[in-house]
Amino acid sequence: MGSLAATGQPAYWEGFGPLVPGFTHVAYGDLDALSQALGPATAAVILEPILGNAGVVVPPPGYFQAVRQRCDQAGCLLIVDEVQTGVGRTGKWFAINTKASSRTS
């Protein structure tokens, strides 16, 4: 139930409520929204390095580096969801190590 509550896709929630409380969803790539969502009660940020169900959506340049910094400042974990992109599917063992996820410009 925790992973179901973590997904930002409401279509998967139907018929499974009530969901585990405490999850906040923000738009992918929106650092301002992420910064506003982080607080003293934030345990972790969970992100996919490349969105798969929405098409192939790569993060904006420098996004993961900025998210890492914000998580460090907030004292929370950064969890990278590699279910669809890991195990060599992007040419690297983990997609977080690809240029698409780590590019800075």
Side-chain angles (χ1 to χ4, degrees), residues 21-87:
F23 287 89
T24 301
H25 300 94
V26 299
Y28 189 72
D30 188 339
L31 286 171
D32 291 333
L34 177 68
S35 295
Q36 291 176 7
L38 292 174
T42 303
V45 172
I46 305 171
L47 290 172
E48 292 181 74
I50 300 171
L51 298 183
N53 285 354
V56 179
V57 179
V58 297
Y63 182 61
F64 268 87
Q65 292 84 355
V67 171
R68 170 78 274 161
Q69 290 172 344
R70 282 164 175 76
C71 288
D72 289 345
Q73 291 167 352
C76 66
L77 298 173
L78 171 58
I79 300 171
V80 180
D81 176 355
E82 293 269 10
V83 170
Q84 293 187 28
T85 57
V87 195

